Amino acid sequence: MKQIESIKEFGGWLNRYQHGSESCHCDMTFSVYLPPQAATEKVPVVYWLSGLTCTDDNVRTKAGAQRYAAELGIALVIPDTSPRGNEVADEPERYDLGQGAGFYVNATQPPWSQHYRMYDYITRELPALIEAILPVIPGVRSITGHSMGGHGALICALKEPGAYRSVSAFAPICHPTVCGWGEGCFSAYLGNDIEAWKAYDATELIKAGAPGMPLLIDQGTGDEFLAGQLYPAELRAACEERGIPLTLRMQDGYDHSYHFIATFIGEHLAYHAAALRK
Amino acid sequence: MKQIESIKEFGGWLNRYQHGSESCHCDMTFSVYLPPQAATEKVPVVYWLSGLTCTDDNVRTKAGAQRYAAELGIALVIPDTSPRGNEVADEPERYDLGQGAGFYVNATQPPWSQHYRMYDYITRELPALIEAILPVIPGVRSITGHSMGGHGALICALKEPGAYRSVSAFAPICHPTVCGWGEGCFSAYLGNDIEAWKAYDATELIKAGAPGMPLLIDQGTGDEFLAGQLYPAELRAACEERGIPLTLRMQDGYDHSYHFIATFIGEHLAYHAAALRK
């Protein structure tokens, strides 16, 4: 792992790293914000998973999260949204399949299965790497994300009981097996068997009995993707049936952009910090 | 003036407007953040002037300023950095001359003099337009900015006594007549008479007896442009000679980026809010 950039911010350091990934069989780039406290002690970590088309640069530039991380003494780990490179399968004319659209699954279908192993990367390889090298408390992690990354955060927490102290999401894709974005990626990465898709669908995981944990979700009512892609009502119905505590806040008038995320990221990070400091 | 975008953020609205500018003889675009308080009362205004290559989008996306503006109940007005359009003179192969590099002067030399009247636009046309149409308190303004925009903020405040309650700057070009960026633009826009340049140089304005007001400046010591372009020591010497109160904070390890601005924008807006609420 080599550090390729380091920028001082809020008394801490916003670093970018590159490493050869065993899961994805290619070089991967990610960013970490280390708060000022990390200079003298190990700190807990919040993982941020980004949405379609993003790299690690979007949230670190647009969300205003580093200010809160510095105040709360938590590190932010920001992975990329897919494997990348000339040798990595892609659909260059599509923003919602291939590079930038890994959907946080382990692909099983060629040509995607060679590199698109984002689920293993996010839940296993990246935490092990970070906890071995950076000043963070091993195993003390929470996870959150936006849109496709909100979906990612929910499935990682639901599929890995005990791995994350808390989980939240901004405008997540709650039920990817029934929305266009999810169908497009899941059919390519996972094939035609819809049972394989359900293993990466938060609503289906809950219906199927995944161990519950509290879920915090903010969703803008002015979000242009709410009706066609996100399906929070289906997730809510599944949570109610299972008795899983879901806090779904419909935020009046907010859209799908980072301006929405910026508005509520402070509350999410405070929520995670409370769980991480327990 | 027509509104071309409106995004909810921190309970207020981030709007973008377009209008035909009399000063610049072309359509101009600017952004305004109206805090939640503006729904029920008129609020004071902080003008933000951006640096080379920016539009109104950079600071509103990257600085995290809207959070503080919402807390403090102040509007942010964010103009573009130059006139733009196919009919507007430009040097497309240069980032530091022409469109995106207006330098906040009234150009006197062809072909620039037809559109590059940013000084009049910022100090006269834009405040009159905004105070006529938006819920802001007439005449209650402060001004700040970054790099070329820090230069702009300083010269607007120094040349227009009484127009701004307070002024601050992030890594400003303090002495443009002696740095490469300033020489390139001033020779093009203002011609070869260096006396004409001095009318838009904060250090020279102070030396020449401009009415003083307190100046707040943050400057990163890790700024890649500090040695060659910014010259804060020359501004400090001029302020000391004139007895003008300059707070020049050399911030250890910070660079020239918006991560630096994000770190200190809250303190600057609180400083302006205190002056605006007096």
Side-chain angles (χ1 to χ4, degrees):
Chain A
M1 178 168 103
K2 70 176 176 195
Q3 183 173 305
I4 56 174
E5 190 181 62
S6 187
I7 301 171
K8 194 169 183 184
E9 189 169 22
F10 292 103
W13 293 92
L14 181 61
N15 297 334
R16 181 173 269 156
Y17 303 93
Q18 223 165 50
H19 70 118
S21 165
E22 287 180 20
S23 309
C24 297
H25 301 107
C26 63
D27 283 347
M28 294 291 283
T29 300
F30 63 92
S31 286
V32 176
Y33 177 69
L34 291 172
Q37 296 85 344
T40 52
E41 61 185 87
K42 291 190 173 191
V43 295
V45 181
V46 173
Y47 285 77
W48 171 274
L49 304 186
S50 300
L52 287 167
T53 77
C54 291
T55 68
D56 61 313
D57 194 47
N58 298 71
V59 73
R60 67 185 222 152
T61 302
K62 298 181 179 180
Q66 288 89 303
R67 175 190 170 178
Y68 303 99
E71 288 172 1
L72 296 163
I74 53 181
L76 303 175
V77 172
I78 310 164
D80 204 345
T81 52
S82 77
R84 291 186 196 268
N86 290 334
E87 77 286 9
V88 173
D90 196 15
E91 287 280 352
E93 75 284 8
R94 289 185 61 177
Y95 76 95
D96 57 354
L97 182 65
Q99 296 188 31
F103 245 87
Y104 306 104
V105 305
N106 289 332
T108 58
Q109 305 299 306
W112 310 102
S113 50
Q114 194 189 350
H115 297 288
Y116 286 74
R117 309 280 301 177
M118 288 299 289
Y119 185 77
D120 280 355
Y121 179 71
I122 297 293
T123 58
R124 288 172 176 76
E125 182 177 1
L126 190 58
L129 180 70
I130 282 165
E131 293 175 8
I133 292 176
L134 295 177
V136 301
I137 308 171
V140 180
R141 312 171 199 135
S142 292
I143 192 162
T144 183
H146 173 233
S147 196
M148 178 182 75
H151 143 78
L154 294 172
I155 62 165
C156 289
L158 290 166
K159 288 166 73 73
E160 304 288 338
Y164 302 97
R165 297 279 181 94
S166 51
V167 59
S168 74
F170 296 80
I173 300 171
C174 295
H175 197 9
T177 59
V178 303
C179 80
W181 284 337
E183 288 169 350
C185 282
F186 284 8
S187 59
Y189 301 153
L190 304 172
N192 292 324
D193 178 8
I194 201 167
E195 291 307 313
W197 302 11
K198 290 182 180 176
Y200 295 108
D201 178 310
T203 299
E204 295 293 345
L205 287 165
I206 288 171
K207 281 193 204 169
M213 65 187 291
L215 310 178
L216 169 63
I217 294 177
D218 275 317
Q219 173 62 58
T221 65
D223 186 328
E224 58 272 38
F225 300 111
L226 173 53
Q229 300 283 3
L230 304 179
Y231 291 90
E234 281 67 11
L235 180 69
R236 179 161 53 195
C239 286
E240 282 172 0
E241 196 173 307
R242 288 277 320 286
I244 289 175
L246 166 67
T247 304
L248 172 59
R249 309 193 301 189
M250 300 303 292
Q251 301 287 5
D252 183 50
Y254 287 88
D255 68 9
H256 200 68
S257 75
Y258 272 90
H259 298 288
F260 158 64
I261 298 169
T263 303
F264 299 105
I265 188 79
E267 292 176 30
H268 283 238
L269 292 183
Y271 173 80
H272 294 302
L276 290 164
R277 294 287 185 193
K278 259 183 192 159
Chain B
M1 179 168 102
K2 71 176 174 195
Q3 183 173 306
I4 57 173
E5 190 181 61
S6 187
I7 301 171
K8 194 169 183 184
E9 188 169 22
F10 292 102
W13 293 93
L14 181 61
N15 297 334
R16 181 174 269 156
Y17 304 93
Q18 223 165 51
H19 70 118
S21 165
E22 287 180 20
S23 309
C24 298
H25 301 106
C26 63
D27 283 347
M28 295 290 283
T29 300
F30 63 93
S31 285
V32 176
Y33 178 68
L34 291 171
Q37 295 86 343
T40 52
E41 61 185 86
K42 292 190 174 191
V43 295
V45 181
V46 172
Y47 286 77
W48 171 274
L49 304 186
S50 300
L52 287 167
T53 77
C54 291
T55 69
D56 62 312
D57 194 47
N58 299 71
V59 73
R60 67 186 223 151
T61 302
K62 298 181 179 180
Q66 289 89 303
R67 176 189 170 179
Y68 303 98
E71 288 173 0
L72 295 163
I74 53 181
L76 302 175
V77 172
I78 309 164
D80 204 345
T81 51
S82 77
R84 291 185 196 268
N86 290 334
E87 77 286 8
V88 173
D90 195 15
E91 288 279 352
E93 75 282 10
R94 290 185 59 178
Y95 76 95
D96 57 354
L97 181 66
Q99 296 188 32
F103 244 88
Y104 305 104
V105 305
N106 289 332
T108 58
Q109 305 299 306
W112 311 102
S113 50
Q114 194 188 350
H115 297 287
Y116 285 73
R117 309 279 301 176
M118 288 298 289
Y119 185 77
D120 281 355
Y121 179 71
I122 297 294
T123 58
R124 288 172 177 73
E125 182 177 0
L126 189 59
L129 180 70
I130 281 166
E131 293 175 8
I133 292 175
L134 296 177
V136 300
I137 308 171
V140 180
R141 312 172 199 134
S142 291
I143 192 163
T144 183
H146 173 233
S147 195
M148 178 183 75
H151 142 78
L154 293 173
I155 63 166
C156 289
L158 290 167
K159 288 166 72 75
E160 304 288 337
Y164 302 97
R165 297 279 182 96
S166 52
V167 58
S168 74
F170 296 81
I173 300 170
C174 294
H175 196 10
T177 59
V178 302
C179 80
W181 283 338
E183 288 169 351
C185 282
F186 283 8
S187 59
Y189 301 153
L190 304 173
N192 292 323
D193 177 8
I194 201 168
E195 292 307 312
W197 302 12
K198 290 182 180 176
Y200 295 108
D201 178 310
T203 300
E204 295 293 345
L205 286 165
I206 287 171
K207 282 193 205 169
M213 65 187 291
L215 310 178
L216 169 62
I217 294 177
D218 274 317
Q219 172 62 58
T221 65
D223 185 327
E224 59 273 37
F225 300 112
L226 174 53
Q229 301 283 4
L230 305 179
Y231 292 90
E234 282 66 12
L235 180 69
R236 178 160 53 195
C239 286
E240 282 172 359
E241 195 174 306
R242 286 278 320 285
I244 289 175
L246 166 67
T247 304
L248 172 59
R249 309 193 302 188
M250 300 303 293
Q251 301 287 3
D252 184 51
Y254 287 89
D255 68 8
H256 200 69
S257 75
Y258 271 91
H259 299 287
F260 158 64
I261 298 169
T263 303
F264 299 105
I265 189 79
E267 293 176 30
H268 283 239
L269 292 183
Y271 173 80
H272 293 302
L276 291 163
R277 294 288 184 192
K278 259 183 192 159

